[in-house]
Amino acid sequence: MKYSKEFKLECVRKRKNGIYIETPPGFKKRDNFMREIRKWSRIYDSLGEAGLEHGRETLNIDQRLELIRRVENGESYSSVALSVGIQDSVLIKWNRIYTESGIDGLKSLKRGRPSMNKKRPVNKEDSDKTKEELLEELEYVRAENEYLKKLSALVQERKARKQKKK
């Protein structure tokens, strides 16, 4: 669930002042919400109010590579991720992709939900056929369909006869 910058900031300030924070709907357990507030507090301490905003700039390939190098040099995922205001799970994913596919894997990362406009591929063989060939194929497919229907009817009839005998 996404919360506004103002809400996050309010929660961080209340936590720092020791004021009780009401658990909002969307969190089944208070512990999960408090964990989120602790994360927001660390981000706030590291990056200030700007770290709590949505839609920060996307990190380019060189910046991602630098973060991965820092992890390889012994820094923890959480400390490296916190320093730039991303979730450690994102950094873990980038590291896995980099390990499996190298720098090309990091270059091809796409953000957001994939589009749904998948077009059916055109069968190249059909586009090369003449009208007569297509009509011939259509006639063949129709005959095959009729044969399968009759076969299915025969099988159904046999099953019905066996049911009657019992």
Side-chain angles (χ1 to χ4, degrees):
M1 180 172 266
K2 287 190 175 185
Y3 293 99
S4 68
K5 173 188 163 187
E6 291 76 24
F7 177 76
K8 293 177 185 179
L9 195 55
E10 178 187 345
C11 291
V12 168
R13 288 183 176 148
K14 283 183 177 180
R15 180 177 184 268
K16 289 186 182 293
N17 293 327
I19 301 171
Y20 180 79
I21 306 164
E22 194 68 40
T23 305
F27 280 97
K28 293 180 182 174
K29 295 183 179 178
R30 180 162 176 78
D31 293 344
N32 294 343
F33 178 59
M34 294 309 293
R35 186 178 312 119
E36 196 73 17
I37 292 175
R38 285 191 298 273
K39 183 181 81 174
W40 294 340
S41 293
R42 288 192 306 270
I43 291 172
Y44 178 77
D45 292 341
S46 176
L47 301 172
E49 288 186 28
L52 299 176
E53 292 178 2
H54 290 287
R56 291 182 303 276
E57 289 184 31
T58 305
L59 298 174
N60 65 33
I61 189 75
D62 296 326
Q63 292 168 321
R64 292 177 187 177
L65 208 49
E66 174 60 30
L67 296 177
I68 292 170
R69 294 243 184 332
R70 285 174 57 188
V71 169
E72 289 174 346
N73 289 333
E75 286 187 62
S76 70
Y77 284 108
S78 56
S79 67
V80 174
L82 183 63
S83 70
V84 290
I86 61 172
Q87 293 188 15
D88 52 354
S89 60
V90 173
L91 184 56
I92 291 168
K93 177 183 165 189
W94 291 347
N95 193 20
R96 180 180 44 79
I97 290 171
Y98 178 70
T99 304
E100 292 172 357
S101 307
I103 199 161
D104 293 333
L106 285 178
K107 285 180 182 175
S108 66
L109 285 177
K110 294 197 180 276
R111 292 187 58 181
R113 187 177 189 152
S115 64
M116 294 296 292
N117 58 355
K118 295 179 182 173
K119 295 180 182 175
R120 286 183 39 206
V122 176
N123 189 350
K124 295 293 183 190
E125 297 171 1
D126 287 346
S127 63
D128 294 339
K129 291 181 181 177
T130 64
K131 184 176 181 179
E132 290 79 25
E133 290 173 324
L134 289 171
L135 289 172
E136 212 174 279
E137 185 178 343
L138 178 63
E139 185 180 339
Y140 176 82
V141 169
R142 284 181 175 166
E144 184 181 31
N145 194 20
E146 285 299 315
Y147 170 79
L148 291 172
K149 284 181 182 178
K150 287 180 182 178
L151 181 62
S152 177
L154 285 173
V155 170
Q156 295 283 339
E157 190 180 319
R158 282 186 186 168
K159 284 183 181 178
R161 274 193 248 149
K162 281 187 179 180
Q163 289 284 333
K164 277 187 175 179
K165 286 183 181 179
K166 291 183 180 180

